[in-house]
């Protein structure tokens, strides 16, 4: 009989796939990700929870993962919670309460903090969930919105169009480095640091604020009104920082995607275009957040183009004012 430690070592990382739309089954999205009209033989099945195998093979690494169908939070298990490194949720954008049906999943995601968070729909709908509503929800919960069949496609005249649909989902999953990763020769250092930056959300959970103290204020401290004002300001700053971190992580993921492609002129030009976009975005941030944002992006770009880590050890962390 195997020990618990041995069983833990055998668990592969999983991509949890769920759908709150009764007309769209999780298996349909898995087939699109695998680019197949049929599903592979499941490696495991427990009632409505099913594990499908997938080997990710790109320029940097190979990794065996599981695409795990979990129709509701009631079907979560310790095994899934331990192995989940990506979360993909499909919702019905044609109904007004489409996003509300995802509410049961929010505490699960916040607790487990998977590195990849993707919200999927067929396309946003003015009569249901609008683009603005979906994007605000994603900013609040650090997800990326992906439409499988967007109404507005990238401009054909754009030399560097953004990826859309299932292609974008695959890119985001390839930009992650999984616990089962086997790095290919020559790519150990650059992509390793990139993955650590993308996973910063996992290492620094978004909802890690200390719980409010139940003790009464000591003599000479702030009044209740002053204390509430201070607490609200701190919470506001924390929430704002979380949104900024989420946006930065998504930007870094795109940098990873660009450096994971073929080293051609188009990718090189798009890389610098993306960096300019990120610089423009950072210019509107408060001073301290702008410094942290700039440091993350600079490190990610430097390592992505093959720079040595010891050459950026002196980069400011934002702690020296």
């Amino acid at each position: 009989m195997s020990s618990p430690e041995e069983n833990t070592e055998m668990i592969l990382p999983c991509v949890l796939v769920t759908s709150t739309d009764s007309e769209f089954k999780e298996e349909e999205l898995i087939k699109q990700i695998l680019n197949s009209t049929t599903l592979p033989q499941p490696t495991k099945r427990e009632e409505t929870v099913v594990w499908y195998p997938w080997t990710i093979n790109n320029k940097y690494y190979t990794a065996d993962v599981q695409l795990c169908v979990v129709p509701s939070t009631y079907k979560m298990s310790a095994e899934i919670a331990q192995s989940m490194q990506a979360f993909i949720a499909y919702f019905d954008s044609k109904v007004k309460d489409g996003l509300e049906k995802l509410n049961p999943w929010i505490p699960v995601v916040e607790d487990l903090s998977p590195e990849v968070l993707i919200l999927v729909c067929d396309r946003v709908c003015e009569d249901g969930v609008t683009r603005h509503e979906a994007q605000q929800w994603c900013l609040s919960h650090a997800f990326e919105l992906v439409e499988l069949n967007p109404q507005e496609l990238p401009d054909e005249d754009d030399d560097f169009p953004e990826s859309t649909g299932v292609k974008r989902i695959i890119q985001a999953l390839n930009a992650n480095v999984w616990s089962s990763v086997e790095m290919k020769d020559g790519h150990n250092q650059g992509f390793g640091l990139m993955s650590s930056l993308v996973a910063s959300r996992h290492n620094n959970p978004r909802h890690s604020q200390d719980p409010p103290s139940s003790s009464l204020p000591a003599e000479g401290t702030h009044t209740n009104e002053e204390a509430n004002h201070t607490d609200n300001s701190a919470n506001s700053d924390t929430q704002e920082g979380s949104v900024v971190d989420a946006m930065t992580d998504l930007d870094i993921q795109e940098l990873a995607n660009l450096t994971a492609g073929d080293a051609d002129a188009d990718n090189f030009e798009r890389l610098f275009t993306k960096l300019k976009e990120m610089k423009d975005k950072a210019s509107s941030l408060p001073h301290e957040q702008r410094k942290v944002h700039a440091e993350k992006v600079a490190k990610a770009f430097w390592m992505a183009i093959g720079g040595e880590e010891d050459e950026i050890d002196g980069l400011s962390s934002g702690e020296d004012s």
Side-chain angles (χ1 to χ4, degrees):
M1 183 174 178
S2 59
S3 66
E5 290 76 14
E6 290 173 341
N7 288 333
T8 299
E9 291 176 1
M10 291 187 292
I11 296 177
L12 291 175
C14 84
V15 180
L16 192 157
V17 182
T18 192
S19 173
T20 58
D21 183 352
S22 60
E23 297 181 359
F24 186 92
K25 299 302 181 184
E26 294 89 351
E27 284 82 0
E28 176 57 35
L29 184 55
I30 289 176
K31 284 192 286 188
Q32 293 187 42
I33 292 173
L34 297 177
N35 191 26
S36 174
T37 56
T38 59
L39 291 167
Q41 186 68 26
T43 56
K44 187 176 181 180
R45 185 188 297 270
E46 293 180 356
E47 297 180 352
T48 55
V49 179
V50 189
W51 287 259
Y52 295 99
W54 184 31
T55 298
I56 301 176
N57 186 0
N58 58 41
K59 175 181 177 182
Y60 289 93
Y61 67 84
T62 61
D64 290 326
V65 304
Q66 303 270 19
L67 296 167
C68 187
V69 172
V70 184
S72 74
T73 54
Y74 298 108
K75 299 297 181 180
M76 281 293 291
S77 66
E79 177 184 351
I80 298 170
Q82 181 182 4
S83 62
M84 183 176 73
Q85 295 181 21
F87 179 81
I88 302 176
Y90 185 95
F91 77 103
D92 185 0
S93 58
K94 300 185 298 297
V95 297
K96 288 290 187 181
D97 64 345
L99 290 172
E100 294 176 14
K101 295 179 180 179
L102 290 168
N103 287 344
W105 282 106
I106 300 304
V108 176
V109 169
E110 291 178 347
D111 183 46
L112 299 177
S113 298
E115 287 84 354
V116 182
L117 296 170
I118 303 177
L119 177 70
V120 186
C121 65
D122 183 59
R123 66 176 59 165
V124 291
C125 179
E126 291 303 318
D127 296 328
V129 177
T130 65
R131 180 178 302 280
H132 176 74
E133 291 170 337
Q135 289 175 337
Q136 287 301 307
W137 189 95
C138 285
L139 282 175
S140 297
H141 301 293
F143 276 66
E144 176 179 357
L145 175 65
V146 174
E147 299 172 83
L148 296 180
N149 298 291
Q151 187 171 4
E152 297 180 9
L153 295 173
D155 190 347
E156 294 181 358
D157 295 330
D158 188 349
D159 292 331
F160 315 107
E162 299 286 343
S163 296
T164 59
V166 72
K167 180 179 179 182
R168 175 56 203 153
I169 296 176
I170 294 172
Q171 284 183 341
L173 294 174
N174 272 266
N176 187 48
V177 175
W178 308 85
S179 58
S180 59
V181 68
E182 293 187 12
M183 302 302 296
K184 294 183 177 179
D185 292 342
H187 295 293
N188 289 295
Q189 184 178 10
F191 201 80
L193 181 59
M194 181 72 75
S195 68
S196 68
L197 291 170
V198 173
S200 62
R201 199 169 50 237
H202 177 74
N203 296 326
N204 300 281
R206 296 180 297 281
H207 297 270
S208 58
Q209 298 99 315
D210 292 333
S213 172
S214 60
S215 59
L216 294 174
E219 183 179 356
T221 59
H222 294 295
T223 64
N224 287 342
E225 183 177 352
E226 291 172 331
N228 287 337
H229 176 75
T230 302
D231 290 344
N232 289 338
S233 298
N235 288 338
S236 176
D237 290 343
T238 301
Q239 291 170 359
E240 182 180 0
S242 296
V243 171
V244 171
D245 285 344
M247 295 171 65
T248 302
D249 286 345
L250 293 178
D251 285 334
I252 290 173
Q253 283 186 3
E254 184 170 350
L255 285 181
N257 294 335
L258 290 168
T259 57
D262 295 332
D264 54 25
D266 287 350
N267 260 23
F268 194 67
E269 287 190 41
R270 174 57 189 158
L271 189 62
F272 278 91
T273 301
K274 181 62 184 177
L275 287 168
K276 184 180 184 302
E277 292 173 0
M278 294 168 76
K279 178 181 178 182
D280 293 341
K281 183 187 300 182
S283 64
S284 63
L285 298 175
H287 176 67
E288 288 303 319
Q289 291 181 8
R290 186 162 64 246
K291 289 172 65 179
V292 173
H293 180 280
E295 178 190 353
K296 279 188 174 184
V297 174
K299 284 186 176 180
F301 178 65
W302 180 251
M303 298 304 294
I305 61 175
E308 297 294 333
E309 186 171 2
D310 57 3
E311 293 179 288
I312 55 173
D313 283 343
L315 192 62
S316 170
S317 63
E319 298 175 355
D320 53 358
S321 104

